[in-house]
Amino acid sequence: MDKQISELIGDSRLRSRIVTAETAASWIKDGMTLGLSGFTRAGDAKAVPFALIEKAKQQPLKVNVYTGASLGSDVDKMMAEAGIINKRLPFQADSVMRKKINQGEILFIDQHLSHTAELVRSDVLNPIDFAIVEAVSITEDGMIIPSTSVGNSSIFVKKARHVIVELNTAQPKELKGLHDIYEVGKQGKREPIPLTKVDDRIGTIGISVDEDKIIGIVLTNQLDSPSTIVPPDAETAAIANHLINFLRKEVAAGRLSENLAPIQAGIGSVANAVLYGLLDSEFSNLEVYSEVLQDAMFDLIDAGKVRFASGCSITLSQNKMKQVYSNLDAYRDKLILRPQEISNHPEIVRRLGLISINTALEADIYGNVNSTHVRGTNMMNGIGGSGDFARNARLTIFVTKSIAKNGAISSIVPFVSHVDHTEHDVDVIITEYGYADLRGLAPIERAPLIIENCAHPDYRPQLREYFKEALKRGGQTPHVLEKAFSWHIHYEKYGTMMEPKYQLQTQQ
């Protein structure tokens, strides 16, 4: 055990600070604010949050919880069920937490993922009492080596009053050396970020910390939760095919080279499936500058399609996790993990000229996109990093299936019920029926293109009629205001967006 401890904790001054998760949880009091490691089910603090949940059964309390993004290991679910969360930011993806947010039981701040660190750094948010971060080791000079994600861990550690480190022996120790931790500094005093290539290293391999801040080290042994992505289906395969065809035209027009440009792809099954489309394409020697590195990314690396991938976390299915983590050295010269304010930083996104691919809940006939709110009211997960990339990428692409709920919902509507990405930030919309390249088009030019290329055929007549009526009202962006949200209202009343006369037409 002593040998293992010395390998895990290189700084001998810290070895006496090993405590149980229960002891660490006992330090957390009602009203405190916690900064937890974790980004999309990867590298999340596990033991101390679970111990805090058990403590709350005897001593009810409320805390604010900041993270990188969503947490795995059912941490979000169990904290929500225990009723211990007062305020949560900047992203979540748990159904129990989602329900409590929409019922008003948990306050949720939906943020661009690159913004959280800036708000913490500038002391706008509640001060962090405890940063609780997962790591694979602590170096001789006291540097924390993160596990499978960086997220906001570095800024949490820097700004927190106290730090608790969870040393997770289930995570591969070979992760050491894959991280690149860079601190941008205070606004108004910082230098340009010296990153000009996807594979540039500009920081340190771990998180520097004042040793006096580390008041507890908890030993754990639990892998991350496997990702919940599902395999590609016919619709996502069609979306991928349309994406590839669009990229081919960009290459033919001379706007992209044959190895494209650095690619960013959002989290989730649709985005992951779309990336699989690149496997059978002619494109190779690709670079990725993204947030989450999912299964498809490692398959692309294995196939020789992706040369290098920069991300913020590694989130894998169970089988892929076993394969990758048992052979991590094979990927050492092809991967890097960065803090999310660097992976999502507008300065870098614009400089590298990314191709950004993210998922929409719905889009409207003018190109506005809703990524977060079901029928404009109920939060789904959050905007995540899509806005960081959408405003600044070389090409901003949003993908979605054309319908949901077996056709009861059209993903292409007259006016989105909540605007996350305005028409000014959306270049291309793709569904399984085709794509609409919106660049250089006025609103009244965009609408017919989106309707005919992206909407489900069953909903096109209804969209055409709306647009025809809107044109009679005039204006730069014509709308029939009293009908703009009528589709969402119709769904709430009757369980479908399709009006009766169009239902009859589709049945004939």
Side-chain angles (χ1 to χ4, degrees), residues 24-37:
S26 72
W27 301 332
I28 299 170
K29 308 301 181 184
D30 183 59
M32 284 186 170
T33 296
L34 311 180
L36 304 184
S37 68

Side-chain angles (χ1 to χ4, degrees), residues 477-488:
T477 308
H479 268 301
V480 184
L481 291 181
E482 64 272 23
K483 295 182 179 180
F485 298 119
S486 62
W487 290 35
H488 303 88

Side-chain angles (χ1 to χ4, degrees), residues 404-429:
K405 300 290 185 182
N406 296 317
I409 292 176
S410 172
S411 299
I412 307 298
V413 293
F415 198 0
V416 288
S417 55
H418 179 90
V419 181
D420 289 298
H421 313 284
T422 73
E423 59 186 279
H424 312 94
D425 299 333
V426 179
D427 295 324
V428 182
I429 295 174

